[in-house]
Amino acid sequence: MAQGASSHPTGAAVLSDISALSYGYAYDHKKMRQYDKPLFTNDVTIKVFVSSNNKTHLDKIALINLQESYETANYFYRIGEANVGELKNVLDSDLRGKVFVATI
């Protein structure tokens, strides 16, 4: 069984808390009050692998810096960079379930 603090350290901590309360002291979490919190954005570029059994579906996805492309009669894939916001808009429209996308 793990042993906790002995009675003296525990008592000292409790006494310290009671003393702090009597002086109106409140514990503060400074990180909760940060003013320079990061903002969420979809305006970033990520490297992706996209594939489909229909080439016209892949043509609707704008890839920046195309690095690799492969096609057969019924399978197509591309590797490149895509803007997250644009990729999300295209996939939310008519390509949902028709294109596979993975980040690399």
Side-chain angles (χ1 to χ4, degrees):
M1 180 163 78
Q3 205 174 9
S6 66
S7 61
H8 292 298
T10 302
V14 170
L15 182 58
S16 175
D17 289 345
I18 292 170
S19 176
L21 286 172
S22 70
Y23 287 102
Y25 179 81
Y27 292 104
D28 190 20
H29 299 285
K30 291 178 178 73
K31 288 187 178 185
M32 296 294 290
R33 296 185 291 117
Q34 283 182 330
Y35 296 106
D36 57 345
K37 294 179 183 175
L39 299 174
F40 178 79
T41 181
N42 278 330
D43 192 23
V44 293
T45 301
I46 58 173
K47 187 174 180 181
V48 293
F49 168 91
V50 293
S51 67
S52 178
N53 60 356
N54 188 325
K55 186 177 179 182
T56 58
H57 293 157
L58 290 188
D59 291 339
K60 293 180 182 180
I61 299 173
L63 291 182
I64 308 160
N65 189 20
L66 181 66
Q67 297 172 359
E68 190 174 328
S69 181
Y70 176 80
E71 59 183 73
T72 64
N74 58 357
Y75 179 73
F76 308 88
Y77 81 79
R78 295 178 184 160
I79 296 175
E81 297 173 2
N83 177 280
V84 171
E86 292 175 16
L87 185 61
K88 183 181 180 309
N89 289 339
V90 170
L91 295 176
D92 281 346
S93 63
D94 61 336
L95 294 182
R96 183 174 294 270
K98 299 175 184 174
V99 175
F100 173 79
V101 179
T103 60
I104 299 178

